[in-house]
Amino acid sequence: VPATIPSWTLDGGVEMPVLALNTVGLSVEGTARAIVFAYQSGITHVDFHPGYERDGVAKYLEDGGNRSALFLNTKLRRAPQGMSPSDAAQRIRDQIADDLDALNVKSVDMLMLRDSPDAKVMQSQWAALEEALEKGQTRSIGVINFCQFSLKSVLQTAKIKPALNYYLTHVGMGLDPKGLRSFGESRGIRTFAYGAVGEPGPNKELLESPIVNRIATNHKVSPEAVAVRWILQTGAAVSVRPTIDFGLGTSSCKLEKNKCAEGLQERAASFNWKLSNEEMDELSAMTSPNDNPTLFSSSGCPDAFGTKQMIGQILKK
């Protein structure tokens, strides 16, 4: 029996299920297969990238999948460094048209904008998203990996504020990582989390944590189920990978051994049980493994992954 997943009501009466399938790193076939398993388990919110994942969503729909039963949430590519604000906005319009065409749908349910180190680029791109909302190409708009600088930049000129900010959150980072959650939520921007078990790969320290494992044993669930439940119980939404078989830019949803189907069933069952107040307090108080919520931001945000890689390459020379 498919699980019942609660929803948020966003502006305009848009119902967004708070548990999503994260297709990041899946192939076309893997994405289509993961949506089948997710849908069977009750997960209808599909969070996907342009490219292979988008084409996997298109394949699922082409093979008879019910568009109206899904909440389709996709991401806009980051503007290349140095691109003018007007060109960056046009790039957004072009991608939206291209994605809708490839998916063979009139609209998606959410579009999420990536950050830029250039405030004017983000402002121009956000205006293009507001335009897409007005045209009915999407039903809601949000942002990805926005630090305080990025949020302030967009809010300065936005007519419509982002429905949510999608960023890395897991046990060990606390209830308000780097003050980002309180900054966004105090401005009416909800928290949508990814990386419940770590990114860009599963976090060994988190999954082997004695606290997490003791709580998992108490509830007869896996450590990753505890990690996902903690996020949901803090009041955030969460996007989950099907299994813990993933790495940077890779993920898997194979038919053999039913791991993908079982993983999604377990994640969908997150609403069948609860952590006690004491367990919540214990998990919320953990200070390790700590991470940067905007690890995958542009160089406009502190300690971003790409910036670290660039500095590493410079130091090697």
Side-chain angles (χ1 to χ4, degrees):
V1 179
T4 303
I5 311 291
S7 290
W8 281 341
T9 304
L10 307 176
D11 285 353
V14 177
E15 295 288 313
M16 176 190 131
V18 298
L19 183 68
L21 162 68
N22 189 348
T23 62
V24 61
L26 289 172
S27 64
V28 174
E29 291 74 21
T31 299
R33 187 179 302 127
I35 299 170
V36 171
F37 291 146
Y39 186 73
Q40 285 169 353
S41 62
I43 300 171
T44 56
H45 181 166
V46 183
D47 158 32
F48 61 99
H49 287 84
Y52 293 130
E53 299 165 40
R54 177 201 69 186
D55 294 346
V57 176
K59 181 178 177 354
Y60 172 82
L61 295 172
E62 203 179 298
D63 291 346
N66 182 357
R67 161 65 187 105
S68 62
L70 298 180
F71 185 94
L72 296 181
N73 184 352
T74 193
K75 307 166 177 82
L76 293 149
R77 293 186 184 94
R78 185 176 283 142
Q81 197 98 17
M83 183 174 267
S84 74
S86 60
D87 285 351
Q90 188 54 46
R91 186 181 158 94
I92 291 276
R93 293 184 198 101
D94 292 345
Q95 189 196 321
I96 293 169
D98 186 42
D99 286 347
L100 293 177
D101 187 50
L103 291 163
N104 195 22
V105 297
K106 288 192 175 72
S107 75
V108 290
D109 298 289
M110 179 168 289
L111 289 170
M112 298 193 291
L113 179 68
R114 291 187 183 281
D115 74 314
S116 161
D118 185 333
K120 286 195 161 49
V121 162
M122 287 187 281
Q123 290 166 350
S124 180
Q125 290 187 312
W126 187 253
L129 278 193
E130 291 175 332
E131 202 181 280
L133 186 64
E134 210 172 290
K135 282 183 181 170
Q137 293 175 313
T138 183
R139 295 169 67 230
S140 55
I141 49 179
V143 294
I144 308 179
N145 297 326
F146 268 42
C147 59
Q148 281 93 328
F149 157 74
S150 311
L151 288 173
K152 278 180 192 163
S153 301
V154 157
L155 289 171
Q156 265 174 7
T157 57
K159 292 180 199 146
I160 296 156
K161 68 186 171 200
L164 51 79
N165 189 9
Y166 179 60
Y167 56 85
L168 176 64
T169 302
H170 59 65
V171 167
M173 291 171 67
L175 289 171
D176 191 17
K178 296 200 188 295
L180 184 59
R181 184 164 180 175
S182 57
F183 184 89
E185 291 184 357
S186 66
R187 288 157 178 81
I189 300 166
R190 297 174 192 251
T191 300
F192 183 27
Y194 66 84
V197 296
E199 284 290 342
N203 191 304
K204 197 165 182 277
E205 185 190 338
L206 192 162
L207 292 171
E208 292 179 4
S209 154
I211 296 171
V212 172
N213 278 271
R214 170 170 41 81
I215 293 169
T217 304
N218 287 351
H219 291 279
K220 297 184 174 62
V221 295
S222 68
E224 55 263 36
V226 171
V228 169
R229 179 67 213 176
W230 175 77
I231 290 178
L232 290 165
Q233 222 164 302
T234 68
V238 64
S239 187
V240 293
R241 291 178 181 262
T243 69
I244 52 170
D245 179 13
F246 68 89
L248 181 60
T250 65
S251 192
S252 148
C253 181
K254 293 173 185 158
L255 279 172
E256 55 267 29
K257 295 185 184 166
N258 294 336
K259 257 168 62 176
C260 186
E262 284 166 8
L264 287 163
Q265 278 163 10
E266 183 183 55
R267 285 145 181 74
S270 297
F271 301 95
N272 297 350
W273 63 285
K274 269 187 180 167
L275 293 158
S276 69
N277 291 342
E278 294 75 20
E279 288 167 339
M280 278 300 290
D281 290 346
E282 208 174 353
L283 292 166
S284 300
M286 283 171 61
T287 55
S288 184
N290 201 354
D291 256 317
N292 175 10
T294 54
L295 178 68
F296 296 105
S297 302
S298 73
S299 58
C301 293
D303 302 322
F305 187 70
T307 314
K308 283 182 179 170
Q309 281 186 319
M310 273 185 336
I311 292 166
Q313 282 164 358
I314 292 162
L315 293 174
K316 273 181 201 167
K317 283 176 182 171

